[in-house]
Every structure is written in C-alpha cells, then in structure tokens.
Amino acid sequence: MMRVGTILWSEGNNWQVLRDFAKRADELGYEIGFSQESWGREAYITLADLAWVTKNMRLAPGIANLFSRTPGLMAQLAATLDIQSNGRGVVGLGLSSRQLITNFHGVKFEHPIQRTREYIEIIRLAISGERVDYDGEIFKLRGFRLNMPPPEHKIPIYVAAMGPRNIRVCAELADGVVPFFPNSKDMGYMMGQITAGAQDAGKDPSEVDVAPFIITCITEDPEEG
C-alpha cells in the first residue's frame, strides 16, 4: 500500500484553514504531515497547535534547519512535540540553503555534512534520557540532560538531503531521508546512495524511509494529467 504524506500549508494568515486542512488530511489517512518553515511560520509552534486537531497523523518539521537552533534546543523541541502529540512527533532536519542561513539568520554556512552528523547523534543521545557528554568537531557538550522523562518509543529522525555525501550520511544515521523535489531521473542514483549509506551502518536499506517531496496537481480532467 502506498504511504502518503502532505505538506501542511495554507495561504495567508487564516489559521483555521490550516487546522481544517490538517484535520481533513488526518481523516483521509495521510501518514505524516510536514510543516514547512523557511522564513515563514515557525514549524514547531505550528505542529504543536495542529496536534490538537489530528489523531493519527505523524507530525514533522519539513524542515527545521541545522543552523538557527542548537542541537540541544532541537532535542527539547522534538521531545515536547512528541508529548504534545501523544507520540506522533518526528524530528525533521535539513541544511536549508546557504542564502537563507547567511542572509536571514546571519550564521555562517559551514561544515554541513559534519554538522548533520553531530546534530543527529546529539539529538538521539538527548532524547534517550542519557547525560549528554559529547566531544564533536563542532559541538562540545558537558553534563546536559533533558529534564523530562524519555519517551517509551523511538522518535524517528528524518533528514532532508540532496547531495550524494549528505544522502549517504542521512541514510547511515537517520530513520528517514527526504529528497527535496527530486528529478525522477535522479531517483535511481539517490536510492543507490541510500542503500550504500544504510549498509555502511550495518542496516537493512528497507529500514530507511524514503519520503520525497513531490509537486503534484490533482484534477478531475484526464486530459490535464
């Protein structure tokens, strides 16, 4: 059976339209809803609100960038959303773009692959409830522990990826890879990189969810298909 997700989006500032959209997607059986962020609505506040009007759909930022928040804060946000949604929270991470990170957030776009690796490792450690003593190339953390009970289940981590090195790292460390608007001609190559990354980590490639963002148009006119 095809597993389908959706981007939780509405034009303008009519929040009720967004709530109605999320509720209807949940009723129709969509598996996961992603809240886009970029320079618009903040993802986690949006998802916490939509958790009240949905029951089954998993909720994920699509995506929260790896530069404007620390990995410790990202772990807090992820754990809070998971509690708010009764276990439906998903960590959604990505590099975003150099232009957005530099010109909007005023942060240097540096060491993207290593940053991705360290973010995932720190978030996993923090959410587990363990004390975070981490000595990375970018982040060095000491004596940090989330002040909330760890979840009884694993919170999935999905990471948006495009370049081959990043795709491989994400398949190695994350639970899901999110190719952003991929070209159909490139999907075979991407799947090869995902397989290789999973195998590098000793995982079965089928354990890695692949959730591409695909632009679609729904019409009742077959001539427009």
Side-chain angles (χ1 to χ4, degrees):
M1 180 181 296
M2 182 181 295
R3 302 163 63 200
V4 182
T6 184
I7 295 174
L8 301 172
W9 181 84
S10 66
E11 189 174 1
N13 292 322
N14 190 329
W15 204 268
Q16 190 57 49
V17 170
L18 181 61
R19 287 175 176 152
D20 291 343
F21 181 89
K23 183 178 179 181
R24 184 59 177 151
D26 188 53
E27 292 170 347
L28 290 172
Y30 280 74
E31 179 177 332
I32 187 170
F34 291 92
S35 177
Q36 287 187 307
E37 189 171 75
S38 301
W39 53 93
R41 296 187 184 98
E42 197 279 330
Y44 277 101
I45 292 175
T46 301
L47 293 171
D49 181 78
L50 298 181
W52 291 104
V53 297
T54 56
K55 297 179 180 179
N56 301 302
M57 184 168 59
R58 292 188 296 162
L59 301 170
I63 49 109
N65 77 74
L66 299 176
F67 290 88
S68 62
R69 302 174 179 91
T70 67
L73 176 56
M74 201 79 82
Q76 288 178 277
L77 290 166
T80 303
L81 174 62
D82 195 65
I83 293 170
Q84 182 86 346
S85 63
N86 292 318
R88 293 182 288 125
V90 176
V91 180
L93 307 173
L95 294 170
S96 188
S97 68
R98 185 181 299 272
Q99 182 179 18
L100 177 65
I101 298 306
T102 302
N103 294 339
F104 183 67
H105 292 291
V107 179
K108 292 182 179 180
F109 191 93
E110 296 179 328
H111 312 297
I113 305 301
Q114 183 62 26
R115 179 177 287 265
T116 300
R117 178 179 294 277
E118 294 189 16
Y119 250 85
I120 295 172
E121 292 174 345
I122 291 170
I123 290 172
R124 281 212 193 284
L125 187 58
I127 290 175
S128 73
E130 297 295 323
R131 170 175 159 149
V132 180
D133 291 310
Y134 188 85
D135 189 18
E137 295 180 18
I138 300 172
F139 298 101
K140 300 182 185 298
L141 309 179
R142 294 289 178 271
F144 170 77
R145 190 193 302 269
L146 282 183
N147 187 22
M148 60 181 76
E152 296 180 358
H153 58 276
K154 180 181 181 181
I155 299 178
I157 297 178
Y158 282 29
V159 186
M162 295 180 68
R165 287 181 60 207
N166 201 21
I167 290 172
R168 245 180 124 132
V169 168
C170 294
E172 175 190 344
L173 297 174
D175 303 293
V177 177
V178 183
F180 254 59
F181 307 124
N183 186 316
S184 60
K185 297 178 181 179
D186 297 332
M187 280 305 297
Y189 175 75
M190 287 185 177
M191 292 304 297
Q193 295 299 308
I194 291 169
T195 297
Q199 291 175 341
D200 287 345
K203 296 193 297 189
D204 186 325
S206 65
E207 296 177 23
V208 181
D209 276 348
V210 182
F213 277 23
I214 300 173
I215 298 175
T216 58
C217 177
I218 301 173
T219 176
E220 296 180 356
D221 185 351
E223 297 299 322
E224 295 181 3

